[in-house]
């Protein structure tokens, strides 16, 4: 009892000391530090020059780079037409009254008279009145389905919503930053006459009400948002429809031969066509809502995008301007604490209580910043014409990797990986196969643009340092920020270094602990368990900036795995010569192994082009040094290079079998790992960025002989997740104990041919394939994955 009492006193004294450290502001004297962001901030968000060269040139001007940022929620007396002390008190209310809300009638009569709906009513299409249904009853069904989709927006509710949203955002956030140059690009695209379709990431449920507020405040009118019906209660859906929301009716996902499904899809298509003809902007989320397990790409988002593509191809509208959008937060306000169970639908009263809790619980010291990113718009018509020529042949993961994993083959096929994890809904199944492929490729392309234009927030940088490179936070925070800016990614903060670090640590207060050490220094330690998993999810925001280097570092690690022992000194690794052909092969193997949702490579870029980009990045950052072997031509000798006639007309990125001469020449190029003092730490840092998914895959391979198969997919996911949690408790590596990583590993093994799936009444049933039933092949799979992991 005395020992327990003593431990309790020690624990309470430590907690009291930690609380005093937080409340005292670390007892640091703030010093004026030269801002390292100033005028060197990169301008991000240019569209693809390969797929949309005309949009890349026409919708951009260099003067917009110097326009700077503005805070959308900062409304003053100058933002209204009136002046005076009373105006200063009610400026937010007056500002909301002055917002221009154009008339946006949904024209139900025009939807009823559209060609697709009339074909169903008259019986010329399957499910029409000619198949035994009375036309008047079909018209009632059309009106009922249209009521499920949308409702006429209410101007009074929109003005009230904008005023309430302005007050709410000012209480909850420090600022909502928007680049005025990006907004000018969107205004220029809107003036061209084509409807705007905004394609966004989905980090928070707040995105669906934040983005309409931002665009309404910038004079773009009422933004129609395609909401997920599963995420909202019926009462909330009714309110959102009056604010401009759109909902896909459940009948649209019925089979192609269902009369109700045909009618619902015709009404949805007609409603979207009328919306595009009216010129109202549309917002579609390409990612699944937060808290959803499984595929990153949203099936609902691809459905709405497919309807837009179909409207343009049919000629209802000549073109549509697509705008990639991303919203980034220092800390997501509605991030679920339990991310391993599906969230219930959000109700009106539940949302109101969440708002009140947020306003009460978030003090001024915990308020976060938001960045809204609007990338350069591009023409859908132009993309449709140019993108098809960039797609090459594709093979499944089983055809690409299984012979190499089992040691039956060493040559990597010169094809792309075919991997589709997003389920196909009814409206997409009604399209042609080539149009379905166009929608999938366009979704990947736009989501890649959204991620590339997203700013890296301070919490992502701090979480990465605490997980992978924890030494001196002040110096390394500045170093990692500069490295991020050098790679063409923007950051969502600025100011004095000490203030930034203090603000970031206050946002991460629930997941880190502060301890005072000698000479007045502070030691920041991540809290084990859920704290580490939360930091791992935050650090994923930094991975896109270093993805190419991380893939290259893991590929180099795999190449050295069979030559140098992992615990060997760095000098031995620097002695080994690495040929360019071997590096290409290792990079390709890793690209095929990692999920497409993680890499988000542009579909217009071939894998071999990306291999060269990865190699160039490793050389630029100083990790690889060119080595000239005796008797070979010096790498810097360009005078002896002969340009053959067949290479003069070949477009860049066209890597076919005729390019074998180039790769034969590349066999004579060799590299070494740099021996500079900073390179080993940086190499290890890059490898650890990809360690969570790779370690989860390796542990899933270990679990093959321990898991209970056959089992349903959900049951086996639960088995693997429990195994990952148990392993994390033993090894102390909690970053891979994530349910999404468990699902990703199982789906990758299914594509690889390790697991087979058969349908059953209870859902898909997984069982071990005959090829990997033997323990030897399971060990080969685990060894293949572990070669890329740097311990």
């Amino acid at each position: 009892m005395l020992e327990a009492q003593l431990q309790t006193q020690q624990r309470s004294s430590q907690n009291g000391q930690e609380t005093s450290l937080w409340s005292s502001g670390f007892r640091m004297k703030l010093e004026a530090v030269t801002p390292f962001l100033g005028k060197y901030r990169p301008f991000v968000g240019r569209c693809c020059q390969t797929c949309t060269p005309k949009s890349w040139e026409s919708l951009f001007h260099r003067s917009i780079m110097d326009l700077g940022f503005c805070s959308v929620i900062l409304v003053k007396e100058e933002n209204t037409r009136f002046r005076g002390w009373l105006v200063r008190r009610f400026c937010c209310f007056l500002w909301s009254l002055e917002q221009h809300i154009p008339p946006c009638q949904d024209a139900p009569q025009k939807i009823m008279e559209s060609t697709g709906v009339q074909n169903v009513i008259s019986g010329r299409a399957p499910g029409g009145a000619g198949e035994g249904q009375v036309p008047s009853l079909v018209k009632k069904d059309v009106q009922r389905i249209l009521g499920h989709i949308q409702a006429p927006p209410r101007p009074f509710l929109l003005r009230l919503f904008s005023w309430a949203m302005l007050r709410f955002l000012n209480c909850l956030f420090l600022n909502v930053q928007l680049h005025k140059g990006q907004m000018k690009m969107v205004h220029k695209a809107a003036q061209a006459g084509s409807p705007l379709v905004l394609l966004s990431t989905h980090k928070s449920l707040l995105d669906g009400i934040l983005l309409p507020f931002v665009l309404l405040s910038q004079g773009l009118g009422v933004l129609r948002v395609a909401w997920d019906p599963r995420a909202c209660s019926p009462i909330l859906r009714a309110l959102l429809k009056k604010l401009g929301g759109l909902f896909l009716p459940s009948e649209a996902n019925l089979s192609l031969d269902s009369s109700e499904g045909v009618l619902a899809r015709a009404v949805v298509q007609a409603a979207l066509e009328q919306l595009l003809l009216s010129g109202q902007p549309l917002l579609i989320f390409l990612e699944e809502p937060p808290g959803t397990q499984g595929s990153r790409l949203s099936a609902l988002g691809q459905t709405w995008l497919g309807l837009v593509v179909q409207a343009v191809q049919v000629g209802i509208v000549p073109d549509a301007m697509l705008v990639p959008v991303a919203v980034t937060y220092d800390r997501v306000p509605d991030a679920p604490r339990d991310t391993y169970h599906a969230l219930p639908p959000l109700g009106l009263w539940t949302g109101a209580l969440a708002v009140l809790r947020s306003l009460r619980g978030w003090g001024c010291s915990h308020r976060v910043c938001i960045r809204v990113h609007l990338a350069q718009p591009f023409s859908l018509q132009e993309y449709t014409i140019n993108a098809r020529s960039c797609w090459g042949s594709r093979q499944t993961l089983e055809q690409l990797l299984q012979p190499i994993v089992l040691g039956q083959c060493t040559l990597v096929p010169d094809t792309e990986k075919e991997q589709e994890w997003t389920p196909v809904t009814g409206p997409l199944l009604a399209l042609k196969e080539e149009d379905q492929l166009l929608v999938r490729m366009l979704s990947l392309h736009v989501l890649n643009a959204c991620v590339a234009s997203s700013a890296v927030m301070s919490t992502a940088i701090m979480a990465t340092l605490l997980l992978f490179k924890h030494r001196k936070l002040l110096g390394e925070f500045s170093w990692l920020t500069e490295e991020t800016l050098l790679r063409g990614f923007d950051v969502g903060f600025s100011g004095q270094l000490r203030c930034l670090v203090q603000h970031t640590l206050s946002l991460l207060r629930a997941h880190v602990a502060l301890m005072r050490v000698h000479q007045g220094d502070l030691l920041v330690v991540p809290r084990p368990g859920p704290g580490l998993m939360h930091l791992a999810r935050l650090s994923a925001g930094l991975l896109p900036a270093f993805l190419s280097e991380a893939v290259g570092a893991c590929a180099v690690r795999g190449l050295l795995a069979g030559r140098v022992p992992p615990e060997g000194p760095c000098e031995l690794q620097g002695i080994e010569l690495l040929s360019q052909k071997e590096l290409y092969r290792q990079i390709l193997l890793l690209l095929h192994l990692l999920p497409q949702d993680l890499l988000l490579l542009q579909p217009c870029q071939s894998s071999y082009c990306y291999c060269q980009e990865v190699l160039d990045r490793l050389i630029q950052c100083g990790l690889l040094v060119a080595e000239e072997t005796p008797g070979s031509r010096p790498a810097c000798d360009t005078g002896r290079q002969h340009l053959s006639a067949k290479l003069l007309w070949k477009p860049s990125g066209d890597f076919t079998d005729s390019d074998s001469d180039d790769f034969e020449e590349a066999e004579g190029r060799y590299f070494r790992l740099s021996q500079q003092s900073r390179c080993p730490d940086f190499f290890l840092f890059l490898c650890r960025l990809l360690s969570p998914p790779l370690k989860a895959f390796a542990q899933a391979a270990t679990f093959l002989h321990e898991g209970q198969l056959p089992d349903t997919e959900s049951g086996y996911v639960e088995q693997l997740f429990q195994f990952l949690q148990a392993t994390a408790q033993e090894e102390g590596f909690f970053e891979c104990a994530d349910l999404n990583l468990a699902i990703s590993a199982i789906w990758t093994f299914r594509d690889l041919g390790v697991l087979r799936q058969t349908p059953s009444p209870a859902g898909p049933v997984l069982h071990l394939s005959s090829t990997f039933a033997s323990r030897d092949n399971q060990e080969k799979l685990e060894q293949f994955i572990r070669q890329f992991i740097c311990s």
Side-chain angles (χ1 to χ4, degrees):
M1 293 178 62
L2 290 176
E3 292 179 358
Q5 185 177 2
L6 181 60
Q7 292 177 1
T8 304
Q9 292 177 355
Q10 291 177 352
R11 196 179 301 115
S12 62
S13 63
Q14 292 176 358
N15 293 337
Q17 182 181 4
E18 182 179 340
T19 304
S20 65
L21 291 176
W22 286 110
S23 60
S24 63
F26 310 141
R27 295 181 181 176
M28 293 180 179
K29 182 180 179 180
L30 296 181
E31 300 176 0
V33 182
T34 304
F36 45 82
L37 301 181
K39 57 184 179 181
Y40 301 106
R41 184 188 297 273
F43 184 83
V44 297
R46 299 296 304 273
C47 63
C48 180
Q49 195 173 8
T50 303
C51 300
T52 53
K54 293 182 180 178
S55 301
W56 188 88
E57 181 67 28
S58 61
L59 296 176
F60 178 79
H61 194 274
R62 293 195 175 275
S63 62
I64 68 177
M65 300 172 60
D66 303 326
L67 293 180
F69 292 87
C70 66
S71 181
V72 180
I73 61 176
L74 183 61
V75 175
K76 298 181 179 180
E77 179 185 0
E78 292 77 10
N79 300 106
T80 66
R81 295 179 300 166
F82 309 99
R83 297 294 181 269
W85 66 270
L86 190 60
V87 175
R88 287 192 289 271
R89 297 292 299 267
F90 297 97
C91 58
C92 294
F93 180 73
L94 294 174
W95 173 85
S96 63
L97 292 179
E98 292 181 353
Q99 294 303 306
H100 174 64
I101 299 179
C104 46
Q105 299 178 357
D106 292 311
Q109 188 62 31
K110 293 183 179 179
I111 296 174
M112 186 73 70
E113 296 173 355
S114 65
T115 304
V117 175
Q118 285 298 315
N119 289 338
V120 175
I121 295 178
S122 62
R124 291 191 295 270
E131 297 186 358
Q133 300 183 29
V134 181
S136 60
L137 297 179
V138 179
K139 290 182 179 179
K140 291 182 179 179
D141 288 338
V142 171
Q143 295 175 354
R144 177 183 57 84
I145 295 173
L146 189 58
H148 286 311
I149 298 173
Q150 62 187 9
R154 309 295 185 185
F156 171 75
L157 282 179
L158 288 170
R159 297 185 190 278
L160 183 62
F161 160 76
S162 61
W163 171 78
M165 193 67 184
L166 182 60
R167 299 303 301 265
F168 168 71
L169 293 175
N170 273 289
C171 294
L172 198 59
F173 300 104
L174 287 174
N175 50 54
V176 179
Q177 294 290 333
L178 175 67
H179 197 285
K180 291 184 286 187
Q182 295 177 348
M183 198 67 239
K184 187 174 182 180
M185 288 192 301
V186 177
H187 275 291
K188 188 176 181 180
Q191 294 170 0
S194 299
L196 291 178
V197 180
L198 284 76
L199 305 172
S200 174
T201 59
H202 204 182
K203 303 302 180 185
S204 168
L205 293 176
L206 187 62
D207 297 346
I209 58 177
L210 174 65
L211 290 174
F213 167 78
V214 171
L215 265 70
L216 180 63
S217 67
Q218 300 300 313
L220 285 178
V222 179
L223 180 63
R224 311 302 297 270
V225 183
W227 287 91
D228 187 355
R230 301 167 300 174
C232 306
S233 66
I235 299 179
L236 185 59
R237 283 202 299 267
L239 176 61
L240 291 176
K241 280 188 288 188
K242 294 180 180 179
L243 293 174
L246 300 174
F247 293 89
L248 191 71
S250 58
E251 296 91 344
N253 292 320
L254 296 177
S255 60
L256 297 181
D257 56 353
S258 171
S259 59
E260 295 180 358
V262 172
L263 180 61
R265 287 189 285 271
V267 175
V268 171
Q269 182 68 41
L272 183 67
E273 291 172 359
Q274 292 299 321
L275 188 148
L276 295 177
L277 287 173
S278 65
Q280 302 176 52
L282 173 66
L283 172 63
I284 300 173
F285 291 107
L286 293 181
E287 286 185 325
E288 286 289 350
T292 304
Q293 283 80 42
S295 175
R296 180 176 183 178
L297 285 170
S298 170
L300 181 66
Q302 290 190 1
T303 299
W304 286 104
L305 183 58
L307 295 174
V308 174
V309 171
Q310 186 178 7
V312 173
Q313 289 185 341
V314 172
I316 302 298
V317 288
D319 198 1
M321 302 304 296
L322 304 184
V323 185
V325 182
V327 182
T328 52
Y329 302 83
D330 276 337
R331 186 178 66 181
V332 180
D334 58 348
R337 297 180 180 178
D338 183 10
T339 59
Y340 309 123
H341 297 88
L343 296 177
L346 181 63
L348 184 60
W349 297 111
T350 307
L353 290 176
V355 170
L356 293 177
R357 278 198 304 267
S358 301
L359 294 176
R360 185 186 63 179
W362 284 35
C364 296
S365 60
H366 298 286
R367 291 196 296 171
V368 303
C369 302
I370 304 179
R371 279 283 299 275
V372 179
H373 315 272
L374 301 173
Q376 183 179 1
F378 63 91
S379 167
L380 175 58
Q381 189 70 260
E382 183 185 9
Y383 178 85
T384 304
I385 296 173
N386 297 332
R388 298 180 188 270
S389 60
C390 301
W391 303 338
S393 59
R394 295 180 176 271
Q395 291 183 358
T396 63
L397 190 61
E398 183 176 355
Q399 296 171 330
L400 288 172
L401 275 190
Q402 190 182 100
I404 299 175
V405 171
L406 300 179
Q408 301 171 356
C409 176
T410 58
L411 182 64
V412 184
D414 185 14
T415 56
E416 304 300 319
K417 177 177 64 174
E418 176 66 31
Q419 188 177 66
E420 181 54 42
W421 289 355
T422 306
V424 182
T425 58
L428 270 185
L429 288 174
L431 302 179
K432 300 178 181 179
E433 290 188 3
E434 58 179 7
D435 292 336
Q436 295 180 26
L437 180 61
L438 173 65
V439 172
R440 291 201 301 267
M441 295 302 178
L442 179 59
S443 301
L444 280 173
H445 204 291
V446 175
L447 193 56
N448 173 276
C450 294
V451 173
S453 61
S454 299
V456 178
M457 307 305 283
S458 59
T459 49
I461 293 180
M462 181 61 68
T464 305
L465 291 176
L466 293 175
L467 285 176
F468 307 127
K469 201 176 172 64
H470 179 271
R471 288 184 183 175
K472 299 179 180 179
L473 285 182
L474 285 178
E476 291 179 354
F477 189 94
S478 175
W479 164 80
L480 195 52
T481 301
E482 292 175 355
E483 291 290 334
T484 304
L485 293 172
L486 287 174
R487 282 158 178 79
F489 279 76
D490 198 3
V491 292
F493 53 89
S494 62
Q496 294 183 345
L497 183 58
R498 288 181 181 268
C499 295
L500 284 173
V501 172
Q502 179 179 352
H503 174 71
T504 306
L505 289 177
S506 66
L507 295 177
L508 300 176
R509 177 177 181 176
H511 310 288
V512 298
L514 297 183
M515 292 180 288
R516 189 177 298 281
V517 293
H518 64 283
Q519 298 179 355
D521 291 335
L522 290 177
L523 180 64
V524 185
V525 181
R527 300 183 188 273
L532 285 174
M533 289 186 284
H534 181 79
L535 293 179
R537 287 191 291 270
L538 287 176
S539 66
L542 187 67
L543 180 59
F546 294 87
L547 181 60
S548 299
E549 291 93 329
V551 170
C554 291
V556 172
R557 175 68 190 91
L559 197 56
L560 294 174
R563 304 181 186 181
V564 181
E567 64 276 2
C570 298
E571 290 77 8
L572 292 179
Q573 298 180 0
I575 296 176
E576 293 293 329
L577 286 178
L578 310 174
S579 70
Q580 184 168 335
K581 181 180 179 181
E582 293 174 331
L583 287 171
Y584 276 172
R585 179 180 180 274
Q586 289 297 116
I587 295 172
L588 278 176
L589 292 179
L590 187 55
L591 289 179
H592 292 330
L593 176 64
L594 292 174
Q596 198 173 41
D597 288 358
L598 175 68
L599 295 173
L600 288 180
L601 302 181
Q602 289 184 346
C604 61
Q605 185 181 25
S606 67
S607 297
Y608 278 100
C609 275
Y610 190 74
C611 288
Q612 185 59 50
E613 179 183 338
V614 169
L615 191 59
D616 292 343
R617 290 289 187 91
L618 292 178
I619 297 173
Q620 290 172 4
C621 68
L623 284 180
L624 287 184
V625 179
E627 181 71 17
E628 298 174 359
T629 56
S632 63
R633 190 185 67 200
C636 59
D637 186 5
T638 59
R640 301 183 185 181
Q641 295 182 6
H642 301 283
L643 295 177
S644 59
K646 65 177 182 179
L647 292 179
L648 292 177
W649 54 266
K650 188 172 299 181
S652 61
D654 184 17
F655 284 86
T656 59
D657 294 337
S658 61
D659 293 312
S660 57
D661 296 339
D662 293 341
F663 290 101
E664 290 178 1
E665 182 183 355
E667 293 181 16
R669 300 172 186 166
Y670 290 87
F671 301 90
R672 294 184 191 271
L673 277 179
S674 176
Q675 294 300 303
Q676 298 181 11
S677 58
R678 68 175 184 88
C679 286
D681 290 338
F682 189 51
F683 179 79
L684 185 62
F685 168 74
L686 293 175
C687 290
R688 286 179 175 175
L689 287 177
L690 283 177
S691 58
L694 290 175
K695 285 192 175 183
F697 284 17
Q699 292 179 11
T702 306
F703 184 68
L704 287 176
H705 67 277
E706 299 182 16
Q708 301 297 325
L709 287 174
D711 194 1
T712 60
E713 182 177 304
S714 58
Y716 193 66
V717 167
E718 186 65 27
Q719 288 186 50
L720 178 59
F721 179 57
Q722 292 178 359
F723 177 76
L724 292 178
Q725 287 182 316
T727 307
Q729 293 289 343
E730 296 175 1
E731 300 179 357
F733 189 84
F734 290 88
E735 291 88 328
C736 64
D738 189 274
L739 185 61
N740 281 324
L741 291 180
I743 297 175
S744 180
I746 291 176
W747 287 359
T748 301
F749 285 3
R750 183 188 60 192
D751 295 344
L752 188 56
V754 179
L755 300 173
R756 298 296 183 186
Q757 180 175 298
T758 56
S760 71
V765 175
L766 297 176
H767 59 87
L768 203 59
S769 66
S770 58
T771 305
F772 287 89
S774 64
R775 187 67 180 272
D776 292 340
N777 288 343
Q778 294 177 11
E779 291 178 353
K780 289 180 181 179
L781 174 63
E782 183 179 357
Q783 184 179 4
F784 173 80
I785 299 173
R786 289 195 179 277
Q787 66 175 331
F788 301 108
I789 301 175
C790 191
S791 58

